Amino acid sequence: MAFGLYDPNYEHDACGVGMVADLHGRPDHDIVDKALTVLERLAHRGASGAEVETGDGAGILVQVPHRFLVGAAEVAGFTLPDAGGYAVGLAFLPIDADDAHKARSLVEQIAGEESLSVLGWRHLPIESEGLGKTALGAMPRIEQLFVAPDGKADTMTVERRAFVLRKRVEHASDDLYFPSLSARTICYKGMLTSEQLREFFPDLRDPDFESGLALVHSRFSTNTFPSWPLAHPYRYLCHNGEINTLAGNRNWMRAREALLETPLIEGDLSRIYPICTPGASDSASFDEVLELLHLGGRSLPHSVLMMIPEAWENHTLMDHERRAFYRYHASLMEPWDGPAAISFTDGTVVGAVLDRNGLRPSRYWVTDDGLVVLASEVGVLDIPPERVVRKGRLQPGRMFLVDTSKGRLVEDEEIKAELAAEHPYDEWLATDQVRLEELPARTMLTPQHGRVVTQQRQFGYTNEELRIIVAPMARAGAEPIGSMGSDTSIAVLSDRSRLLYDYFTQLFAQVTNPPLDAIREELVTSLAATIGPEANLLEARCGSCRQILLPLPVIDRDDLAKLMYVNEHGETPGFKAFAIDGLFDVREAGRAGAPTDVGGEALRRAIDDVRKRVSDAIADGANIIVLSDRNATADWAPIPSLLLTAAIHHHLVREKTRTKVGLVVETGDAREVHHMALLIGFGAAAVNPYLALDSIDDMISEGLLEGVSPRQARRNYIKAACKGVLKVMSKMGISTVASYTGAQVFEAIGLDAGIIDEYFTGTSSRIGGVGLPVLAAEVAERHLRAHEPRPTEQAHRELEVGGEYQWRREGEFHLFNPKTVFKLQHATRSKRYEIFKEYTAAVDDQAEKLGTLRGLLRLKPAEDGPIPLDDVEPISSIMARFSTGAMSYGSISAEAHETLAIAMNRIGGRSNTGEGGEDADRFTPDANGDLRRSAIKQVASGRFGVTGEYLVNADDLQIKISQGAKPGEGGQLPGNKVWPWIAKTRSSTPGVGLISPPPHHDIYSIEDIAQLIHDLKSSNPQARVHVKLVAEVGVGTVAAGVAKAHSDVVLISGHDGGTGAAPLTSLKHAGIPWEIGLAETQQTLLVNGLRDRIVVQVDGQLKTGRDVLIGALLGAEEYGFASAPLVVSGCIMMRVCHLDTCPVGIATQTPALRKKFSGKPEFVETFFEYVAEEVRELLASLGLRSLDEAIGRVDLLDTEAAIGHWKASGLDLSSVLAEPDVPETMGRRQLRLQDHGLEKALDHQFKDACAPALDGRGPVSMELPISNVDRTVGTLLGSEISRRFGAAGLADDTISLTFFGSAGQSFGAFVPRGVTMRLYGDANDYFGKGLSGGRLIVRPPLASPFVAEEQIIAGNVILYGATAGEVFIRGQVGERFCVRNSGATAVVEGVGDHGCEYMTGGLVVVLGPTGRNFAAGMSGGVAYVYDPTRSFGQRVNLELVDVEPLDASDSFRVRSLVERHGVETESAVAARLLEHWDTEVLEFVKVMPRDYRRILEATRLAEAEGRSVDEAVMVAAHG
Amino acid sequence: MGKTTGFMEHGRELPRRRPVPVRLRDWKEVYEPFPEESTKLQGARCMDCGIPFCHDGCPLGNLIPEWNDLVYRDDWPEAMERLHATNNFPEFTGRLCPAPCEAACVLGINEDPVTIERIEYEIVERAWSEGWVTPQQPTVHTGSSVAVVGSGPAGLAAAQQLVRAGHLVTVFERAERPGGLLRYGIPEFKMEKAVLDRRLAQMEAEGVTFVCSTSVGGVADAGSPSGDRVIEPGEERGLGSACAPGVQVRSAAEVRAAFDAVVLAGGATLPRDLPVPGRELDGVHYALEYLKPANLVQEGALAASPITAAGKRVVIIGGGDTGADCLGTAHRQGAASVHQFEIMPEPPSDRLADNPWPIWPLILRSSAAHEEGGERLFSVTTTEFVDDGSGAVRALRGHTVEMRTEGGRPVFEVVPGTEFELECELVLLAMGFLGTERRNAVDELGVEVGPRGNVAADREWATNVEGVFVCGDQTRGQSLIVWAIAEGRSCAAAVDRWLMGTTSLPAPIVPGQLAMR
């Protein structure tokens, strides 16, 4: 179904998951009924597409309802054996009768071969009336298959034979699918909405249809392509989440097949290969491997833990045996990494597990009569409070299990302890596993000093790379930072010889799954992995872990020597290394600009040769393969190590010998983080970047790198490289290098399909590009530099100067260069359109220098000639579509920020606050009529200054998921820019750097963004809600998901944009040009029928009218500019925004530099007028009267002949220009508004009643019932208050609302002062999100029998981004409590992991247990933790905070809060503490951020001495 | 990357110029030594820009941020390497260049720019004094031979690049010693000639052969007893003024035949004349007629200049650099008074709105020579030289003009009632140059000359004659030394490519490339 740029492989889904079980597994129809109710109550977590009546999928997995089936079979005319003696399952057959007949025959034939007999096919009753057209159109013929073993066989034998049958059938036929085929469980599912499932399958309503347990699932897909099999559950599980390492996991699994053996499955296993069905979804593949592990002899929980181990690597508190269990299994299999809540069942046990990050919510209840309910949300089943004896939540890495055979819950500890005790894993490891540091030391000869320069030339090193990349890494152990995006040509458009690495960009998580926070949540990550042969996955034995443990994937030369000469003298038996040179004959490979086929052929032959020799070596027993490019000669040049690594990796995967060896790469070309990441991502277990390390030695001896010893410098470099790799992994949401290895989370831009298919199999490369001849020529060019025939021609020029990061004449082409910057500034300042045209010509005319993909596109002039310019819409209506980019106040100065705002308000466009809040004084017009308010208010992961007042003062609310400069990462504002006035707007601590979290902690999945959109819409119903994405493969499907999540606007950013600071790796190597992303978005939205309900915006290095028009033709109706208006304002691309030294007063807060700001709103106005005027001219030339007529008109574009260019001539942009075959009537631009469903909000039931309070007619109070479907309660009311009263709100308690029941997500979000909301019951995630002064109290219902402080009463991510207000919670809560709180006060009786993360202000009192990683990234505010067991010290992250006893004023403060907590919640804990306050107060500790303390003290001192507080604070901060 | 806050902490500082009375007496260069520490702090002012406009403003593409930083970090040898990466003769540009780099310096937007030129000077002078500048002798010889005609900065740059590419290079110079304007145009107080000589020695060590007192093409003076003085048919005065007495003539065809390639680098030596009544009077000279003998005196090759300003009232017509060179020379020779005329109005002291950063600022510039005395007159034109009765000039007559532009070209109109007469004994015409001389290799080989009087070059620096290339002022027209070096380097790359099919020589510019405007 792939079309144009749309590829179904990039579909994502997420969902609501539910489970209902009887502790004893007593079959009852009531369980089924309840499960279906749970599903219906999770409807808001699913989605529907263009048609509301077509769902994305829903299903249920239950025990085989034997009693019911016996009856049904009888009706169908056959008899069933005893329960467990047969397997049954739904079958999705072809609609066509003949095809269906053939399919049945196929099943029967294979069944026969597998010693099974088909008992019968039951025509399954269905009621399809309510289904939408799309679902109906794709609906298969649904029957039910019954098979039984020939002869006697136990249930597991039946199960295994049915498994083999199902596998074989699925491989043999494309249009035959079994949701399940099992003797123990059965799955009913389809392309249905949650509500439809019950209606569609009458079986499910039959009172005889009984089960003791049930899993249900409602799917939210990013698109609406009709598919019935994609619904969950699968055979063993429901999955909420996404497997990010899927490509690697599948490849490894495929390679492992050769080693699989088990006596439990009869016959040759190869007949069921491949285990992972190609093209299946991540959940399906996960299910297939889980199934294999389980049927191969492991229990289901054991199998699950092999695939989703908890974060054991850095878990210091974990017991020894359990660690050994994980360590052992890590040598068998890499984790399937990515956010996941998996609920699973084999019919007897039913459980759920959360991945190591815990990024999916799961809550459970147990009743006094043995009913267990687990779901993504609390409150999905109405159970009288007095029956509920336990309320809990699933914790990261923990398993929740009901064993119906035992009739009880099995606690996580017990499950794991039992599994860990099964085998002497620890002994096995001690015998077999070798640590790298234990290997005998070998010394590697340091290469001759004189060779370093030759090698550097050989591998294309530039002075710039040494200066900007390598030296800082070696000096500081950290990755270098840059600013202002990237405006250089991508590799395939570059005239220069580029490294193969440059043709790949990193993929990153956006919306459908979160990036990780590798900085603050490091404890879940691991860079360690093993290298060496793997053994049979299905067998647990000593010897399976004969591997070497590598602590880091980047190794120095001594470590390399250890591996290369391992067991040289027989001292480490079981290992054998084989090193091979990866070189090719370069003599006739041409050079840059002149590739030759001979060169390409030589490269291909050389790779083939290495492949063959590696295979031979493996046959000979080698299990460590070292690929080296060290020994190049005058005639033999290095094969690009990435090409070589990937080529060998895929060759061995195909040969199925891959798991027999570990790949080590000894390479001179790798020096950047991106390079290491690619090598690992395409299969390397270890990388030795020898030349980078040699270069460091050389720089030190040449005096270019000072203040660090060579040894320390090399160590620093490796540390920086590894940290960088971790960050690249985390952008994709991958936590362990073991699962990152070979995961191929990259996209190629500009590589020919031939190369991709052969060497980078499975990687996306959508516009074609260069082949081996060009790659060979690029190497040849560098090779020539190393072997100049006349060396003195390059006298005084050891290395090339560079020019990628800073413009240089001999370097890469930049769109912003001296000429374009000058012309642009001159034109707009002197108001001369003719000079502006010189500027746009210099940007647009890419005949010689190819800067952008759009440079390759040609506008087709109207056949009848241009229309008169006067007929084209005026510039005013064009300018209304313009906006400026998100640049925060803080990253840029007030002068620069307000200049843009004033200009955009004058021209009717929109400026953007960026992620830094906005001063309230900008909300009202100035005396001269200018408005300094930014129309677009950004909501980013840091939520800086996101208050109710901020939100109501917006025309657009923009959710920043990613930004072009560094997708997958949070923003960062270095401490030297956080001047007191910036800190004030952001509610943070002056002088303390601000890092916003990589993920939005309320967006872990697509249904979460739907929730945030709903929250924001509720906070300001008049504003449009945007979602900002960055182009990468699959962005179209994400955009479709966003459209389904009811976003009003989706913004597609190019990879190259970006004004703020970013790690250079991200700046250069993440994301793709917007041309591709935008086209993919337009195509995907059209194909899904979603285009007409959403506005599409584009940005990323837009500079001219032509850029705008190309954007329009590719499908965008609005256009964002950032760099260009900054240049107009005076920016000269210093690219030091992160240093606070901007010499033109833009990206700085330093008062002296701000004075140098020379921009004026008039200049910016002129710029946009000119751009709009150009747009008009171009529209006229195309014969179009308005931009509306241009949107999506790809037929007006043509591929400019790039034929002359030695690289770009291989590009094929036809997929970018593809037009989906959809009816003419289908809207190609936004024509209708999204239905936000705000009218259903609970707020409408009390808003009117609250009116008197708003009119000053006295307080109001009300009581109401509430349930989990009531989401974002209080926010609509709050928005009215904020609109009328601003930040001040109303007097405390003016409005008092009391609710009974389970509150839906985002209870009390952004509620301002004056509103008090009491909840008797419990609450879901995002409770108190962005609280802006209101008061929230939650306590158990009066009837609850349990001990409140032991139960979970509210969910994850409470008070995210709160700025003010108070919260009292009687009971415990989930993960990330008070994340990014900057002003609210909260009392709670226990929190999960990562409490008070990133907090910058406010006050938190925890009266119960805390999870791990408390106070990570906390730079402001104070927390008090009650710690009678003195265990808090192990759980707090001490990087930024001190833990200390309370002083007198603290005690007073805590006591008064505990007293209030008691009053508000009747807390038993509070009562107990107060009773013995004098002794209990000693059990409290205070968590104090060090920076915060320093600033408080400086402030106090300055005030006392009458000095300027601002200056004192900055001095203290910098000191 | 230097010091990130250097520009906020340190101001622009240059070495002091020596006291006027002292320097007028000794003809030596005018700057006092600059302490190393001061140079480093000036280097620290460099902001290491994302777009170093200086690096673009410099025709050579000097790696200015790189060496500024290296100087700041005290790595002088590496700074010298980086300096020579783009510039064969930084000691020339470090003294003589008007520094378009500094005009383009980003710091110059709102502060004083970095003292780029001075830092360049300090690096290269240190390199010479430390002995770091060594011959880069080619290790591979191609067997091809190249003749370079003219030894000014363009010819020297081309020659050095070509010899490093392994070719046999011979430089022909019609004057008695190599260097062209560097030697005979630039006065000693701007660049002492020892600076030129040490570089020439390096080039000779690298293998360049200099053949002086030899004109390629031209006609021998039949009237000369030896028959070896070149005369220029047409007899415009001043032509051939740079020739040595007793110059040899080699036929252009013969030279072309003897070498695999020929590079013309003969400059734009035709001076602009002022054809007004009295032009023929004694005491009215072209600037170069005046400057060359003055330099020969300093070199010791001439006891006294036949044209001296000593005790005379001097008028220099032309307000440019050559005029300033005359000014400084006249003062050193002991002129009684000096007036410098400029027909254009006095430029503003700061940039006007239509002349923004980073392009060349059209502002009033005062060189060291201006500080030594003399009077500058703007908006004046000369209409007549007045005979003292003996055939020598006694005075000149002129008047004030008003400039307006007509069709993009300036037109000067007399301001009525402003006529004046100024007594003088020496008048120096420094009004620029009109292009290449032709009665030499140009005409002999049939080399095409473009409409502006310069030899035409294609994209590969080739003239219309096979194997004959051109660079420097001879194709560009009168220009700056920094452009000449850039042309010579670029032309060398083209010649190398023509000879060898491929080249690794850098080429900073393309023919006809102009500064940004």
Side-chain angles (χ1 to χ4, degrees), chain A residues 790 792-794 809 1156, chain B residues 58-59 111 164 496 504 517:
Chain A
R790 292 174 284 152
T792 40
E793 285 202 312
Q794 292 282 308
R809 279 185 26 181
K1156 295 170 185 269
Chain B
C58 173
E111 297 277 345
R164 287 177 178 177
D496 189 34
S504 293
R517 52 184 177 171

Side-chain angles (χ1 to χ4, degrees), chain B residues 20-27 332:
Chain B
V20 172
V22 176
R23 71 198 201 212
L24 284 184
R25 233 167 283 149
D26 66 8
W27 290 77
R332 279 165 180 73

